[in-house]
Amino acid sequence: MLSFASRFLGRNLNLVVGAGFLFALLLGIFSTVSGMIHDEPVHSAEHEFHLKPRDAGLQSAGLFGTFDKQQLQRGFQVYKEVCSACHSIRLVSFRDLEQLGYDEGQVKTIATDWQIEQPSVNPETGEPATRKNLPSDRFPLVFANDVAARAANNNAVPPDLSLMTKARDDGSDYVYSLLTGYGPQPAELLKKFPDAKTPAGLHFNRYFATLNLAMAPPLTGTDQVQYQDGTRATVDQMAKDVSAFLTWTAEPNLETRHAAGAAVVIFLLIFTALAFGAYRNIWRDMKH
């Protein structure tokens, strides 16, 4: 009897192991579903008071969205005068700004006058040095490393903004909502969750996942930036403009991609119509 059992297990070991894994998987699924059904829902300040991003209404949104170059230039101005003090856009080159409508001379001036220069090495002494930016250079990092960033920002590291709208759900809308979402904590929140008071050094924002973030409100009031095209720089306008700019930094080929997609759709429609016509022509004399 023992010999028969040994031979059976030897021949069907894979089947036994597979059955064991399947049983464990089904048990895990059952436990998870049972917990979801019977466990009490989690009640927390973040769960109840966190808001989904609002629609920024950008021209680049949608299947056939395009960039408004004037808005992109305004957004770059907001980044330059407000955001660049803390946040880098390390994946963007100065010469890429030509896509925003700046000419070669303007790009060269922007690069040369940028407040942070490129790290370099003195060829004579070998000591660290800096040099003026060139149009071919990428935008220099604001902080040399995370240690310097934390020291200057209450132990928080400001994220690089190059791909921010791709790295967050509802990208452009998220940036817009976050920049306009600062405010005092609702009395209802503090009443329901007394321990959820915003800690010192943090700032309440209902569009941030934890409701509190280290970044102080960067856009503080009307005319904080003097737009060169005469547009009034309200907080809402600046938030939309810099969101549009960061949409471009994350996906500068958006217009090309949308145009290619539209061309493919038109081609498929024409091809489908021709194929259907050919089908009708070939089979029109065939009797069923």
Side-chain angles (χ1 to χ4, degrees):
M1 185 69 179
L2 181 61
S3 176
F4 171 77
S6 299
R7 288 198 302 272
F8 177 81
L9 288 176
R11 294 173 181 174
N12 299 278
L13 182 60
N14 291 339
L15 180 62
V16 173
V17 172
F21 275 114
L22 180 61
F23 175 76
L25 177 62
L26 292 174
L27 183 63
I29 293 174
F30 175 78
S31 300
T32 301
V33 173
S34 177
M36 292 174 64
I37 294 174
H38 295 100
D39 290 351
E40 290 292 328
V42 177
H43 292 287
S44 65
E46 293 87 350
H47 181 264
E48 291 196 25
F49 288 89
H50 176 251
L51 297 179
K52 292 185 177 180
R54 296 182 293 131
D55 182 11
L58 300 183
Q59 184 175 307
S60 56
L63 295 176
F64 304 103
T66 57
F67 286 125
D68 178 344
K69 290 189 176 181
Q70 273 203 313
Q71 184 173 48
L72 294 183
Q73 291 189 15
R74 293 197 303 267
F76 171 64
Q77 191 177 345
V78 175
Y79 168 76
K80 177 183 177 182
E81 298 184 20
V82 180
C83 309
S84 65
C86 299
H87 296 277
S88 303
I89 48 172
R90 63 185 179 83
L91 299 181
V92 182
S93 299
F94 285 99
R95 63 186 174 191
D96 292 336
L97 296 178
E98 292 184 20
Q99 298 179 32
L100 275 59
Y102 295 107
D103 61 34
E104 187 175 340
Q106 289 174 311
V107 170
K108 185 175 181 180
T109 300
I110 292 171
T112 303
D113 295 344
W114 197 254
Q115 64 269 31
I116 301 174
E117 297 184 336
Q118 292 290 328
S120 183
V121 176
N122 189 316
E124 297 180 359
T125 64
E127 295 295 322
T130 59
R131 63 167 176 78
K132 292 289 186 181
N133 296 292
L134 300 173
S136 57
D137 289 325
R138 290 184 174 181
F139 281 80
L141 296 175
V142 177
F143 302 103
N145 50 51
D146 286 355
V147 175
R150 291 184 186 279
N153 293 279
N154 193 27
N155 205 36
V157 179
D160 183 90
L161 298 181
S162 306
L163 301 176
M164 181 56 64
T165 60
K166 298 285 283 185
R168 297 291 185 272
D169 291 337
D170 303 305
S172 307
D173 295 338
Y174 169 80
V175 173
Y176 164 70
S177 299
L178 188 75
L179 292 175
T180 57
Y182 289 92
Q185 286 184 296
E188 182 184 359
L189 184 153
L190 295 176
K191 184 177 180 180
K192 294 186 68 173
F193 304 97
D195 296 334
K197 186 175 181 180
T198 298
L202 298 183
H203 306 272
F204 180 76
N205 192 311
R206 295 188 67 167
Y207 296 99
F208 193 66
T210 62
L211 301 182
N212 303 298
L213 70 165
M215 182 175 70
L219 305 178
T220 56
T222 302
D223 298 328
Q224 181 181 0
V225 173
Q226 298 294 323
Y227 281 140
Q228 297 176 359
D229 65 0
T231 301
R232 191 177 182 212
T234 62
V235 170
D236 189 77
Q237 183 67 55
M238 289 187 289
K240 286 182 179 180
D241 293 341
V242 77
S243 298
F245 172 69
L246 294 179
T247 301
W248 170 80
T249 64
E251 198 170 6
N253 296 321
L254 178 142
E255 289 181 320
T256 302
R257 179 172 61 82
H258 284 181
V264 169
V265 170
I266 293 172
F267 169 78
L268 290 176
L269 291 174
I270 295 174
F271 177 80
T272 301
L274 292 175
F276 181 72
Y279 163 79
R280 293 293 300 271
N281 185 58
I282 293 172
W283 294 94
R284 65 183 174 182
D285 295 329
M286 299 294 294
K287 295 182 179 180
H288 298 286

